[in-house]
Amino acid sequence: MFLATTASKEFWSKEDNLLFLGPWCLHDYFRAGLDLEDINGIMMPSPWLDRHRFYEFATKADSCYELLLIRVVDYLNEIHGVNYSQKYWRTLVGGWLYHFTHITLDRYICLRHAFSKYPDLQTILVDGEGFSPPWDINDFIEASYGDAYNLKIYSDILRIIGYKFPSKKLQTVSTLFSSDQNNGLSDLKYEFSSSEEFSKNSQSSEIFPHIAFCDFWSDSLMLSQLLESTHPYSSILNFSNLQFSFLTKKVEIDTKYRSGLFNLDYSGDLGSILLNMLPMYFPKIYLEGYQLAKQEVLKRFPKIPSTLVTITSWHTTEPFKFLAAEATELGGRLVIHQHGGLCHRKSSPAISHELEIADSYYSWGWTDKKSGKCRPLTNFKVTTLINELSQKNGLKNSLDGKVLLVSSEMPRYLLRFASAPVGCQILESWEDMDLFLSTVKDKEEILWRPKTGNFSLYPQKLVAQKFPKIQIENHASCPLHKRILKSRLVVVVGFSTVAFEALALNIPTLIFTRSTHYELESNAEFDFKMLQNAGILWNDPILAARHFNNICKEPSLWWDNWEVQKVRDEFTFQYARTHQLWLKDWTNALKEDFILSIISTNSMKMVDKKSVTSIYQSIKSNPYLQDSYKDLACLLYREGKPREAYKAYSLGATLKSI
């Protein structure tokens, strides 16, 4: 029997029976709606259908990542001649490293699962010639969506564990990474309200007391109000389409650096696999390109803001990550605001990573006692939308609009061990959508917005053929939030950010998904059970469709019921909070982090005397900062402000005695 590891048919056997490692191998067949019975092969069941095993291994993968991180930190400090903290390197490299760990271990377990059942399997490997390490995390993740890169990952793992299968070259290696065609950093733009403080020439960067907002909606009224409330110590830091990729032409592979990764002390089967894969996949920007990239950031930012506030730049914006790592190493603070609604799942590696690197985490309403970093605030994006709409015609959805159907589509290949459908479960999710659409009436009222491209397995053509009355809308034709507001009802397949935003906007919302696809944290189960009781959340697509048939004509009759609204209000307060008095809460939180950054960076000397009183008053009115009075008093005294220091110390002692 011949093992097909990916959908690259040129690496399939034309003579032997095929064993498909997973449904991703039949991507083209699923999307085209072709009959699979004519294919000469069988599908290997996923090892992760046993969800208990899935979560056990998710914990193991996280442990492997943490152990590997410790060793990588020591190695990077050694070769780069620095002595930076683990947090510095976690901020810079951790996002890529945990993805690499999860992806590698998933591919290894899937292969081991197949060969344990069919030990005489044959396959064809891809020749490694022409492949180079990714430039950064963007290259790695983007390539990990596709067949070519996964074919290489599977091939490398099989070689590492001792298999000697024949190999051949792949023709499309040269276009594998987008950074090869992108000039990145030349498009860098940054704006500061006090720009002269940041543009002064300096031999080395230093921390500067300032709040910099990154990747917020710069044209929103809310951000303008937030900048005004934190004036003069705040501004917008705008990175536009940059990945440092202009440096790729200056950076050549250093075999000495990469061979050193083989020698890291990490034993065991899983450790051996990771170490053998590491030199081939370690991004160049953290190894050969590190010094150039770091110098470029420090050159452009001789004054580093003491408080960096971001939504998503921590993930894939490499220049920001360099800046944030430098800032936190100097005592600055990284503040992350929640960007998606999937924080309640049993396993969420991305959220875990955010909480690890953040000094403060501004959630949409929930708290996290374990990290102690979480502060519940309003959802900035949805609150921005609500405020802007209220300035116009108010927030009311269209009663005669269409029914918007949004499908939560997962990547074909696993990126991380998160609570979401994997393998054949992805097929189950669109089978559920098929059952739903087969049961609903008034199909002509439905507008479906599927994801496009090479991302998922969803059979768009098959849906169009089977349900011709359903309209399919391209994402480019209308922004999603505008489409939501034009809809009289929003139906979401699976959990996604769209569901939380629609609920926050108070648009009639219906969600259906299997409970075995998105397992919840135990402390969130009651809240989602209340959604079920209100008829908002369903675990059965047929029951969801029957409810749809009952409410489709006038969903507001159901939605406006006080019991449904009570559940919605309580749920969104916890998971998608909006509030008219958002500005006060956000301002207090930002001032707290700003003052703590001044204390930790010892940069009070850079604050003018007039602003000392303002900072002092902010602490006085902020209960979160009562433990900071002693540190502030010491700083004030050292900076020649004994009277203010005495006031701070005395008030702190008084508050502690209450």
Side-chain angles (χ1 to χ4, degrees), residues 130-252:
F131 284 93
S132 64
W135 169 245
D136 59 10
I137 187 175
N138 297 281
D139 273 356
F140 181 77
I141 290 181
E142 184 179 346
S144 296
Y145 286 134
D147 297 308
Y149 208 53
N150 280 284
L151 181 61
K152 183 179 188 301
I153 294 173
Y154 287 123
S155 298
D156 287 337
I157 292 173
L158 286 170
R159 290 190 185 99
I160 289 169
I161 58 181
Y163 288 97
K164 300 184 183 299
F165 295 117
S167 64
K168 65 179 183 178
K169 293 181 180 180
L170 187 69
Q171 301 301 318
T172 56
V173 177
S174 60
T175 58
L176 196 58
F177 298 135
S178 61
S179 66
D180 294 335
Q181 296 85 37
N182 190 352
N183 287 324
L185 192 61
S186 59
D187 297 324
L188 175 63
K189 298 177 182 177
Y190 52 96
E191 305 165 3
F192 292 100
S193 59
S194 53
S195 57
E196 71 281 357
E197 296 292 353
F198 290 84
S199 59
K200 293 176 182 176
N201 291 327
S202 176
Q203 296 299 316
S204 61
S205 294
E206 60 180 329
I207 207 77
F208 184 78
H210 201 86
I211 303 171
F213 293 94
C214 313
D215 65 44
F216 276 66
W217 293 268
S218 57
D219 59 343
S220 74
L221 176 62
M222 274 183 67
L223 184 55
S224 299
Q225 292 174 313
L226 203 51
L227 289 168
E228 184 178 347
S229 71
T230 52
H231 181 78
Y233 293 106
S234 63
S235 57
I236 299 171
L237 181 63
N238 183 20
F239 293 92
S240 298
N241 188 29
L242 59 121
Q243 304 302 337
F244 281 147
S245 44
F246 83 104
L247 293 174
T248 56
K249 296 178 175 58
K250 300 181 180 180
V251 174
E252 295 184 359

Side-chain angles (χ1 to χ4, degrees), residues 494-624:
F495 283 125
S496 70
T497 300
V498 175
F500 292 83
E501 291 178 345
L503 287 169
L505 291 167
N506 205 9
I507 306 299
T509 305
L510 193 155
I511 310 162
F512 67 89
T513 183
R514 299 191 189 190
S515 59
T516 54
H517 287 180
Y518 295 91
E519 295 90 340
L520 302 169
E521 292 179 332
S522 58
N523 59 2
E525 289 177 353
F526 175 81
D527 300 321
F528 285 81
K529 181 66 176 177
M530 296 306 294
L531 287 184
Q532 288 181 290
N533 294 342
I536 297 172
L537 174 62
W538 299 81
N539 294 140
D540 186 315
I542 295 178
L543 294 179
R546 291 172 182 171
H547 180 59
F548 173 93
N549 291 334
N550 291 331
I551 66 172
C552 180
K553 294 294 185 183
E554 294 186 76
S556 59
L557 294 178
W558 157 68
W559 190 252
D560 292 339
N561 180 283
W562 75 270
E563 291 181 341
V564 175
Q565 282 295 299
K566 181 174 182 292
V567 169
R568 188 210 73 90
D569 290 344
E570 292 176 351
F571 183 86
T572 55
F573 185 78
Q574 183 77 4
Y575 298 102
R577 187 178 302 182
T578 60
H579 200 282
Q580 290 182 339
L581 301 178
W582 67 271
L583 183 59
K584 179 180 178 182
D585 291 340
W586 267 86
T587 301
N588 283 340
L590 287 168
K591 284 185 175 180
E592 174 193 336
D593 279 302
F594 178 53
I595 292 167
L596 289 175
S597 75
I598 291 175
I599 293 171
S600 60
T601 58
N602 199 15
S603 56
M604 183 63 74
K605 60 186 177 183
M606 302 178 72
V607 182
D608 58 88
K609 289 187 177 182
K610 183 179 179 181
S611 298
V612 169
T613 302
S614 174
I615 292 172
Y616 168 71
Q617 291 297 330
S618 295
I619 293 183
K620 184 177 179 181
S621 61
N622 194 328
Y624 289 95

Side-chain angles (χ1 to χ4, degrees), residues 5 9 12 40 49 59 87 95 108 113 194 253 258 310 331 340 342 362 369 383 444 481 543 569 590:
T5 56
K9 297 185 185 66
W12 294 5
N40 184 27
L49 292 178
T59 302
K87 183 176 181 181
Y108 168 65
H113 185 57
S194 53
I253 300 298
R258 293 191 174 268
T310 180
L342 302 178
Y362 297 173
K369 294 180 180 179
T383 305
E444 66 279 0
H481 68 271
L543 294 179
D569 290 344
L590 287 168

Side-chain angles (χ1 to χ4, degrees), residues 7-25:
S8 297
K9 297 185 185 66
E10 58 186 294
F11 287 82
W12 294 5
S13 171
K14 296 180 180 179
E15 292 81 24
D16 303 309
N17 289 334
L18 297 175
L19 174 68
F20 298 106
L21 192 58
W24 53 83
C25 297

